[in-house]
Amino acid sequence: MKSNKNIVVIEDDPLVNDTITGILDEKYENIITFTDAAEAIEKLYTINPDLILLDIFLGYHNGIEILEQLNREGWKKPVIMMTAYSDVKLAVKAMKLGAKDFIVKPLDLEQLEMVVATELKNAENETFVEIMKETNAFPIIKASNIIGESEGMQKAMRMAKILANADDTTVLITGESGTGKELMAQYIHNNSARAKAPFIAINCGSIPKDLAENELFGHEKGAFTGATSEKEGKKGKFEQAQHGTILLDEIGELSLELQVKLLRVLQERKFYRLGGSKEVAIDVRVIAATNKNLETEIDNGTFRDDLYWRLNVANIPLPPLRERGEDIITLASAFLIEFGKKFGRNIKGFSTDAANILMSHSWKGNIRELRNVIERIVLLHENNKIIQKEELAFIKSPTHVQTSKTTSIEIPDRGHYLQISKNGAKMSDVVKDLIIKTLKLTGGNQVAATKLLDTTRARLRYKIEQYGIITEKVVE
């Protein structure tokens, strides 16, 4: 089946045009050739080609000058230069001006096919990813690798951004195990005035109770057996986090004795090392996290209510993955890319049935479980293939979850994007939908829309006409 891409060839030699058309016509439906450069430039925006093959010398015209003109006008589609061997230096100059590649005459027809296919694929991937980034349709928080467009995660991110600016406020992050509490704490730290100072995380449930005080507050030389060989004792996590942030993960596991000492630290910003007689003053922001219901723990007598209210100055609840239907495929695709790079593998994506299994699973282990599942798949899956439902048979029977309309995903070589149906989404459909959503966002203001879409008003008007968008209906 032929691709419906538009390819324009600008070459003043009719024989070369015929040769290129004969080769590319086997794979592409629309090959438009020009022997006159002026005519080509005049019709270029009407044709809106996906790729241009441009000769460097065109009679009275110069391909380099045409390329410069396209750049000035904001042309973003790939341009491949064609040149004689003696003009390679000019071709290199063209590359610096934005040409994607060049082919030396006499043309190597296999190379021509390969270069055209490669640049079309690259352009498609890059264009889509840029569109998604510009409109936040693919909301990846770059500074923290937090991914989420579900309502619960967006609410959590809005709160985190506010608290990042209040760099002394104590924060309590709540949520089930594996929901990304440490990642959220790291985001708050990274976007605060303390970002250049240390971020220290300690899991209160992973250290023995008799060592917890030493881990948090450190000790002086000679404080206990084995502490005699040190010159100045040992700094605890609070001192290590000086001027930065300390995350007390699984705070509900802290003993009542240490809860008393922690409360004093939060109140006075001072403490004593084990075996010490001199107070240590600290300037540290405290973020606590827990998968327990601390109010229930208070009722049970295992957590102090005064410490709870001291920690719970601001609360960020993180929703479990089963309530984040919109995010499951996005997260899974991100993990595919992560482990693909780690293990040197290229997994193409998920079939519709496989995506539905991921969407309907209960994910009791939340993001951590999903990440482990994808790691296993990447290790065992055949390279350059799409994941089928049979390869997810080890996942337990699905239970009811909140789902979104997305049913499948493909991950191209240089990006990833969601498909609307089993057969995928045409780029033209995506661009049309993007323009409509942008016009709705701007209330029909095309000038504002061009800024959001990083395009010119002339091109936007052309696209509106091309796709038959009735602007009055968009903003009804």
Side-chain angles (χ1 to χ4, degrees), residues 18-48:
D18 290 343
T19 301
I20 293 173
T21 301
I23 292 297
L24 297 182
D25 187 57
E26 295 179 8
K27 292 186 177 181
Y28 306 98
E29 289 184 357
N30 306 311
I31 313 296
I32 305 102
T33 63
F34 294 95
T35 55
D36 182 80
E39 181 188 5
I41 294 299
E42 181 182 345
K43 296 181 178 180
L44 208 54
Y45 287 102
T46 303
I47 298 169
N48 190 31

Side-chain angles (χ1 to χ4, degrees), residues 246-259:
I246 186 168
L247 168 64
L248 302 175
D249 201 3
E250 303 307 342
I251 189 71
E253 302 296 333
L254 210 59
S255 69
L256 285 169
E257 181 184 0
L258 267 183
Q259 289 178 34

Side-chain angles (χ1 to χ4, degrees), residues 327-347:
D327 300 335
I328 291 173
I329 298 300
T330 309
L331 284 161
S333 68
F335 293 144
L336 271 187
I337 292 173
E338 175 190 346
F339 290 116
K341 290 179 180 179
K342 180 178 179 179
F343 301 126
R345 299 177 64 78
N346 179 31
I347 309 300

Side-chain angles (χ1 to χ4, degrees), residues 46 63 70 84 100 129 141 168 188 228 289 320 330 344 371 373 387 410 426 434 438 440:
T46 303
L70 290 174
K100 293 296 183 181
V129 170
I141 312 301
D168 284 327
I188 294 171
T228 56
T330 309
R371 191 172 185 272
V373 165
I387 295 167
E410 178 186 345
K426 292 181 180 179
L434 174 65
T438 305
K440 284 183 178 179

Side-chain angles (χ1 to χ4, degrees), residues 205-225:
S206 66
I207 51 177
K209 291 184 178 180
D210 56 343
L211 298 180
E213 183 175 359
N214 184 39
E215 283 294 313
L216 289 174
F217 307 121
H219 62 262
E220 297 290 354
K221 179 181 178 181
F224 52 84
T225 303

Side-chain angles (χ1 to χ4, degrees), residues 142-344:
K142 297 178 183 178
S144 63
N145 293 323
I146 295 176
I147 298 174
E149 59 182 358
S150 60
E151 183 180 349
M153 281 305 296
Q154 289 296 304
K155 184 177 179 181
M157 286 306 304
R158 287 193 293 270
M159 178 64 75
K161 290 175 182 178
I162 293 170
L163 293 175
N165 292 322
D167 63 336
D168 284 327
T169 301
T170 304
V171 179
L172 178 63
I173 304 174
T174 56
E176 296 178 8
S177 179
T179 50
K181 296 186 290 293
E182 182 172 345
L183 203 61
M184 185 62 74
Q186 182 80 63
Y187 172 84
I188 294 171
H189 171 77
N190 288 348
N191 289 274
S192 73
R194 298 179 181 270
K196 294 183 180 180
F199 173 82
I200 302 294
I202 181 170
N203 189 313
C204 300
S206 66
I207 51 177
K209 291 184 178 180
D210 56 343
L211 298 180
E213 183 175 359
N214 184 39
E215 283 294 313
L216 289 174
F217 307 121
H219 62 262
E220 297 290 354
K221 179 181 178 181
F224 52 84
T225 303
T228 56
S229 60
E230 300 159 332
K231 290 183 179 180
E232 299 179 356
K234 175 188 174 182
K235 290 182 178 180
K237 300 299 184 185
F238 272 93
E239 281 186 86
Q240 292 174 32
Q242 186 72 293
H243 305 304
T245 303
I246 186 168
L247 168 64
L248 302 175
D249 201 3
E250 303 307 342
I251 189 71
E253 302 296 333
L254 210 59
S255 69
L256 285 169
E257 181 184 0
L258 267 183
Q259 289 178 34
V260 174
K261 294 182 178 181
L262 177 59
L263 179 62
R264 181 176 181 272
V265 172
L266 292 174
Q267 290 173 337
E268 301 181 13
R269 301 289 168 171
K270 296 177 183 179
F271 62 87
Y272 291 96
R273 288 183 180 180
L274 278 174
S277 58
K278 182 180 179 181
E279 282 190 315
V280 178
I282 54 163
D283 171 25
V284 174
R285 180 184 201 163
V286 175
I287 299 178
T290 183
N291 61 5
K292 291 185 174 183
N293 185 323
L294 294 184
E295 293 185 8
T296 300
E297 296 299 308
I298 292 171
D299 292 339
N300 294 335
T302 57
F303 203 84
R304 295 180 61 94
D305 59 349
D306 49 2
L307 176 60
Y308 172 70
W309 296 116
R310 178 66 67 172
L311 291 172
N312 195 29
V313 176
N315 176 236
I316 301 179
L318 295 185
L321 190 56
R322 62 182 172 274
E323 295 177 6
R324 297 174 55 187
E326 300 95 324
D327 300 335
I328 291 173
I329 298 300
T330 309
L331 284 161
S333 68
F335 293 144
L336 271 187
I337 292 173
E338 175 190 346
F339 290 116
K341 290 179 180 179
K342 180 178 179 179
F343 301 126

